[in-house]
Amino acid sequence: MLKRITKKLIGCFILPTLFLGSAVFSEDLESVSLKLKWQHQFQFAGYYAAIEKGFYREAGFDVTLIVHDGSSDLYDPIINNEIEFGTADSSLVARRLKGDPLVVLTTVYQHSPSVLISLKEKGVLGPFELKGKRIMFQRNADDAALQALLISLGIQESDYEFVPHSFNKLALLQDEPSIDVMSAYLSNEPFLFKEKGHDVQIIDPANYGIDFYGDLLYTTEDYIKQSPDRAIAFKDASLRGWRYALDNPEEVFTWLQTKYPSGKSLAALEYEAEIIKKMVAQDFVQLGSMYPARFSRIADVYKQLGLAPKSGDISGLTLDEYLKQKSDTSKQYLRALGIVSAILISLIALLVIGMRSMQSTIKKRTSQLFELNKDLTRQIELSDKHVISATIGSNGLFKEVSTAFCQLAGYSRQELLSIDPEQLTPPGYREGRNEIIHRVFAGTSEHGEIRQINKDGSSYWLHMFADPIRDENGNINAIQITATDVTEKKLVQRLSETDVLTDIANRKKLDSTLKQEWARYIRYKEVFSIIVLDLDHFKNINDSFGHPEGDRVLKAVADAITLVIRNTDLVGRWGGEEFLVILPLTPIENAVHVAEKLRLAINRLDGFPMLDVSASFGVASSDQVIDLDNLFRIADAALYTAKESGRNCVRAAD
């Protein structure tokens, strides 16, 4: 038993430490490979920048990029340790569920650019028209969001005909195989079809509440076990490259036409870069942010699809979670080490007394224990670096704080040990915070979310666990706090309910709010109204001035509406160039007045000297109908009447 425990401890700590030491102190660059999930394009801009601007070399890496042509498995070379790092979308979760030892180093895209497209003349306006159609996509790769969309809307595999992806970007125009719909990237295929003179209809899962991560940077458990610091260094250098690429897209375009030939025109690269920036969502979320709950949702989708075992587990999927697990394991080994040490000491005493000939064996085991202690120290250092923790003494001040906590709060360790911890909590939250501290000193363990203030004045959120610490007499003399940064959790809901282009509510949020307002109307007879508006001749704007100009118009209209309506009202993008405004506690007469103010505000938009921007409006109220579907029907009918009346006018439902 003792031999097995000692051997396990040595294998888990001594060998990784020896490997780590050779990697850190070597003066030579570490040669590694990074496999891209497809061929060269702006989609991988950050990795080109990390190479060309020397960020990888500064971190100690000589990086070779390897492209993917779709003819072989994307993950096998990384799993088999032939390649150190890779990029993939959320389908990586399925491989982890099947037991592949893959670990996500960081996210890059907060949204997946994977969509379904069809030629506009096919008449596939949304997901429900997919029934009976031939759909081409790649199963188990780039399909998580697409299949989640189908399942969430009740569209079964038997409702459509699956066609394996041919990787022909213009497959919709080919006779063989004959298809109606294909999976595509929002940043690529729509532009290519436009260049060929064909309009496409886009079905984006994000518009239906399916908002998965896009590209992820990953490696294997083996690499992290051997070189945790090197894995972190590669992640940091990659994110540094992405920041540079997003700030300097023109320089990346030059590389993609010379050193990393993409075969794309400059116009195509500019279009791709604009879409990629929206997918990264750097204006909303810090680059590289990731939230385990989103991965859990993706895992649930794969289990429901039968593409992963129901018993599959994704614990340790992300780098921080994996390192935290190893830190927890280290604590278990530390307890085991205490037992082993006690046994060894007893054995040493017996051997010294009775068997002096065994002195060499004792020295060997003592040396092993010394090495184990060194490795345990290393694991504790990693825990300090990656686990948010602190100890509060009976005087209410910090006694200890981890490096991870210091980095998150923006203070040095000396600063945190000298200030009142209450200063880190906003005034409106301090009373609740002090009540929690009081209860823990009274002997109860507490947990929950709490808002904190960074040194620079910005706020962040922690899910905190607070436990009492007792002395040898059983008296509580301190509180141990461990926490998880859940700031992104607060942003995830907003991201899932916001239209990426216009930064107003998406259809999912509108649907939810409408149901709430209708329920309130049924119960309390609190009348509400809706305004449906559609931009006039918007197709002409896209055809004459291009989609980027059309996008500018949509953003400007969304901003104009937001300035006119009340804080209690909600505006969202219903689809394409159509918007919906929900007006709680508003009868139809007042809603018509609001619609007229919106019409004038849109007419007065600045910044479009070559365009006459206008919209047609249909207004309806809840007290005119018996159900929510009829409310939309009469609002749409009013909108149609407005268009028939010459557009740029407001019409109310009869």
Side-chain angles (χ1 to χ4, degrees), residues 371-388:
E371 292 298 326
L372 288 175
N373 278 312
K374 285 173 57 180
D375 291 324
L376 285 171
T377 300
R378 176 63 180 159
Q379 295 299 321
I380 292 170
E381 289 174 355
L382 285 175
S383 176
D384 174 68
K385 188 174 181 180
H386 296 286
V387 178
I388 301 168

Side-chain angles (χ1 to χ4, degrees), residues 345-524:
I345 291 172
S346 298
L347 289 174
I348 289 170
L350 291 173
L351 290 172
V352 167
I353 294 172
M355 301 180 65
R356 293 187 176 276
S357 62
M358 295 292 290
Q359 286 182 351
S360 61
T361 302
I362 296 172
K363 290 180 180 180
K364 180 179 178 181
R365 293 194 177 184
T366 302
S367 176
Q368 290 174 347
L369 285 173
F370 176 75
E371 292 298 326
L372 288 175
N373 278 312
K374 285 173 57 180
D375 291 324
L376 285 171
T377 300
R378 176 63 180 159
Q379 295 299 321
I380 292 170
E381 289 174 355
L382 285 175
S383 176
D384 174 68
K385 188 174 181 180
H386 296 286
V387 178
I388 301 168
S389 63
T391 303
I392 296 179
S394 57
N395 60 358
L397 300 179
F398 286 123
K399 293 177 64 178
E400 297 176 8
V401 289
S402 69
T403 300
F405 184 28
C406 295
Q407 292 174 344
L408 182 62
Y411 292 91
S412 68
R413 179 174 275 102
Q414 290 71 23
E415 288 174 323
L416 285 176
L417 294 178
S418 64
I419 66 174
D420 186 346
E422 187 179 275
Q423 297 179 28
L424 302 181
T425 306
Y429 295 82
R430 288 179 182 175
E431 183 177 351
R433 177 257 183 203
N434 292 337
E435 289 178 358
I436 292 173
I437 296 297
H438 178 76
R439 288 197 297 270
V440 177
F441 271 116
T444 64
S445 294
E446 298 282 336
H447 72 91
E449 294 181 354
I450 185 169
R451 185 181 176 190
Q452 299 285 87
I453 303 175
N454 196 291
K455 185 177 181 181
D456 63 12
S458 61
S459 63
Y460 58 96
W461 285 83
L462 296 177
H463 188 95
M464 181 182 71
F465 295 84
D467 298 290
I469 299 176
R470 301 178 184 272
D471 60 19
E472 62 276 7
N473 298 318
N475 299 317
I476 299 173
N477 60 7
I479 294 175
Q480 178 63 48
I481 293 175
T482 56
T484 303
D485 183 2
V486 294
T487 307
E488 185 182 353
K489 175 185 176 182
K490 299 294 183 179
L491 296 173
V492 166
Q493 183 175 6
R494 180 177 181 273
L495 286 172
S496 68
E497 295 179 345
T498 302
D499 179 63
V500 176
L501 175 63
T502 59
D503 198 28
I504 58 177
N506 62 13
R507 188 156 185 165
K508 174 189 175 186
K509 176 63 175 177
L510 290 170
D511 283 335
S512 174
T513 303
L514 281 168
K515 291 175 182 177
Q516 292 173 3
E517 289 301 322
W518 184 258
R520 188 167 19 247
Y521 169 69
I522 294 299
R523 184 168 185 177
Y524 302 109

Side-chain angles (χ1 to χ4, degrees), residues 70-88:
S71 63
S72 58
D73 186 272
L74 178 65
Y75 298 97
D76 280 352
I78 291 85
I79 293 172
N80 297 331
N81 296 320
E82 300 167 9
I83 295 174
E84 289 79 9
F85 302 98
T87 65

Side-chain angles (χ1 to χ4, degrees), residues 74-370:
L74 178 65
Y75 298 97
D76 280 352
I78 291 85
I79 293 172
N80 297 331
N81 296 320
E82 300 167 9
I83 295 174
E84 289 79 9
F85 302 98
T87 65
D89 79 330
S90 293
S91 60
L92 179 147
V93 177
R95 300 301 292 257
R96 179 78 186 192
L97 288 168
K98 294 176 182 177
D100 290 330
L102 303 177
V103 179
V104 178
L105 296 179
T106 184
T107 61
V108 178
Y109 296 179
Q110 291 297 321
H111 306 286
S112 171
S114 184
V115 297
L116 294 173
I117 63 172
S118 65
L119 296 177
K120 227 162 193 178
E121 56 262 29
K122 292 283 188 178
V124 180
L125 301 179
F128 295 110
E129 283 81 16
L130 296 175
K131 292 185 177 182
K133 299 296 190 292
R134 288 171 55 83
I135 307 175
M136 183 171 76
F137 60 91
Q138 186 182 11
R139 276 186 171 149
N140 301 327
D142 281 353
D143 70 336
L146 301 179
Q147 295 223 46
L149 169 67
L150 299 177
I151 282 184
S152 66
L153 296 178
I155 301 173
Q156 306 298 322
E157 287 193 31
S158 59
D159 292 331
Y160 61 89
E161 183 177 348
F162 166 71
V163 178
H165 212 300
S166 67
F167 301 103
N168 182 344
K169 295 180 180 180
L170 297 173
L172 290 173
L173 302 178
Q174 308 299 315
D175 293 332
E176 288 294 334
S178 174
I179 59 172
D180 303 297
V181 182
M182 66 181 284
S183 64
Y185 258 38
L186 198 59
S187 54
N188 289 329
E189 284 81 357
F191 181 88
L192 297 179
F193 279 99
K194 186 67 177 177
E195 276 191 328
K196 297 291 185 181
H198 295 275
D199 287 331
V200 295
Q201 186 73 36
I202 298 173
I203 301 175
D204 188 345
N207 289 335
Y208 298 86
I210 308 299
D211 193 11
F212 287 176
Y213 285 122
D215 283 12
L216 308 166
L217 178 66
Y218 71 99
T219 186
T220 62
E221 290 183 0
D222 284 344
Y223 189 90
I224 298 174
K225 286 177 184 176
Q226 295 172 351
S227 309
D229 285 346
R230 303 300 291 147
I232 295 169
F234 191 87
K235 175 201 71 172
D236 292 342
S238 301
L239 291 177
R240 189 179 173 192
W242 270 105
R243 293 187 191 97
Y244 185 89
L246 294 172
D247 290 338
N248 301 274
E250 293 80 8
E251 194 170 349
V252 180
F253 297 157
T254 302
W255 299 334
L256 287 168
Q257 293 176 323
T258 55
K259 296 185 177 181
Y260 309 97
S262 65
K264 290 187 175 183
S265 66
L266 179 59
L269 291 173
E270 290 173 342
Y271 177 86
E272 182 186 9
E274 187 66 26
I275 299 298
I276 292 303
K277 286 183 179 179
K278 295 174 185 176
M279 297 298 105
V280 174
Q282 191 175 207
D283 292 338
F284 300 101
V285 180
Q286 182 178 356
L287 184 66
S289 297
M290 53 186 170
Y291 185 61
R294 295 182 75 183
F295 286 118
S296 295
R297 185 182 182 196
I298 297 166
D300 289 341
V301 169
Y302 273 110
K303 290 179 181 180
Q304 292 170 13
L305 291 171
L307 299 176
K310 297 288 186 182
S311 60
D313 182 21
I314 61 167
S315 60
L317 173 66
T318 64
L319 176 61
D320 286 346
E321 186 181 357
Y322 183 80
L323 290 175
K324 184 177 183 301
Q325 283 187 344
K326 299 305 291 183
S327 175
D328 293 341
T329 302
S330 299
K331 294 177 182 177
Q332 295 174 1
Y333 283 141
L334 186 59
R335 297 189 191 99
L337 179 61
I339 297 172
V340 172
S341 300
I343 294 173
L344 286 176
I345 291 172
S346 298
L347 289 174
I348 289 170
L350 291 173
L351 290 172
V352 167
I353 294 172
M355 301 180 65
R356 293 187 176 276
S357 62
M358 295 292 290
Q359 286 182 351
S360 61
T361 302
I362 296 172
K363 290 180 180 180
K364 180 179 178 181
R365 293 194 177 184
T366 302
S367 176
Q368 290 174 347
L369 285 173
F370 176 75

